[in-house]
Amino acid sequence: SFELTQDPPASVALGQTVTITCQGDSLRTFYASWFQQKPGQAPVVVIYGRNKRPSGIPDRFSGSSSGNTASLTITGAQAEDGADYYCSSRDSSGDHLLIGGGTKLTVL
Amino acid sequence: QVQLQESGPGLVKPSQTLSLTCTVSGASLNNIGHYWTWIRQHPGKGLEWIGYVYYTGTTYYNPSLKSRLTMSVDTSKNQFSLSLSSVTAADTAVYYCARDRYLGPYYYYMDVWGKGTTVTVSS
């Protein structure tokens, strides 16, 4: 498969929960990872593999996967979570990297 | 602490070749399971995978850029490089280098990124 499809822009009230999804055939085989990008900054990984968080990423970030869909959930969103979020995985061959189109999250 | 730093000209003329280098500190390019990756971001747009190079010199490229791309590694300098030929204004972007790590079957992720370098194609 050649694409990862992400949700359109989303918003969440401060302290509430939001889930962003990413769809693609390759996700049936390969784990997705999720990146947060704020304006003018490089992306930072927030979730990888089977719901793993790098050191320093708050535990309000979690990931899950089912079939061809990977999900990123922010439980108790904070103002600083407003950002663009991208999913990525290898394609079905494993040779190429796929990156979703991104979802812009606004925290109200 | 692993750090990646992009370097290269910020301005390239149309039809010329864009050349960038990523210097890696805190890790060796020779590590098995590390894929040295280039990604770009057009102004106001999403991320686009350009390709990656393995320490053996094996490369995989985005099919849409393949005909214009060359990537290489210099393990003696702990650097990897990108050359993109015949550039146009459509190649104006922020270019990032990153490390894509293999952690197990079907399990990769880009754990370290450079800060990015802006390249403008203009006469």
Side-chain angles (χ1 to χ4, degrees):
Chain A
S1 106
F2 302 103
E3 286 189 351
L4 295 176
T5 302
Q6 292 190 236
D7 297 329
S11 62
V12 60
L14 188 67
Q16 296 303 300
T17 296
V18 63
T19 297
I20 297 169
T21 65
C22 172
Q23 290 188 304
D25 287 342
S26 65
L27 299 179
R28 297 183 186 278
T29 305
F30 288 89
Y31 289 107
S33 47
W34 290 92
F35 300 89
Q36 177 193 71
Q37 186 182 34
K38 297 181 179 180
Q41 297 182 19
V44 173
V45 60
V46 293
I47 290 289
Y48 66 97
R50 187 175 292 159
N51 193 24
K52 294 186 181 296
R53 282 176 289 105
S55 172
I57 301 300
D59 61 5
R60 62 179 179 270
F61 289 89
S62 63
S64 63
S65 183
S66 178
N68 73 336
T69 302
S71 301
L72 172 71
T73 298
I74 307 173
T75 303
Q78 302 299 301
E80 61 265 30
D81 299 335
D84 293 325
Y85 290 87
Y86 296 90
C87 61
S88 76
S89 85
R90 290 294 180 101
D91 72 353
S92 297
S93 73
D95 292 336
H96 300 88
L97 186 72
L98 300 174
I99 305 177
T103 296
K104 183 177 182 63
L105 178 67
T106 301
V107 180
L108 304 172
Chain B
Q1 181 185 1
V2 181
Q3 293 184 317
L4 278 63
Q5 177 69 58
E6 306 89 350
S7 60
L11 181 64
V12 182
K13 288 183 166 47
S15 79
Q16 292 190 343
T17 296
L18 181 165
S19 295
L20 297 174
T21 296
C22 183
T23 301
V24 179
S25 58
S28 170
L29 262 65
N30 285 328
N31 284 346
I32 292 172
H34 293 173
Y35 297 81
W36 303 101
T37 301
W38 290 97
I39 287 168
R40 69 181 182 180
Q41 187 168 34
H42 296 104
K45 301 296 184 183
L47 302 169
E48 178 183 27
W49 176 69
I50 299 173
Y52 64 75
V53 59
Y54 199 49
Y55 77 97
T56 57
T58 298
T59 54
Y60 285 97
Y61 299 148
N62 185 321
S64 69
L65 299 169
K66 185 176 182 177
S67 64
R68 299 192 289 132
L69 261 181
T70 303
M71 292 185 185
S72 61
V73 290
D74 185 337
T75 53
S76 67
K77 295 181 180 178
N78 228 36
Q79 294 175 333
F80 61 103
S81 299
L82 158 74
S83 289
L84 183 65
S85 64
S86 305
V87 297
T88 69
D91 295 308
T92 293
V94 176
Y95 286 76
Y96 295 99
C97 58
R99 181 177 73 176
D100 190 21
R101 286 184 66 183
Y102 172 75
L103 295 178
Y106 315 114
Y107 193 175
Y108 300 79
Y109 82 111
M110 288 178 287
D111 65 333
V112 185
W113 294 64
K115 288 180 167 44
T117 187
T118 298
V119 178
T120 301
V121 179
S122 174
S123 55

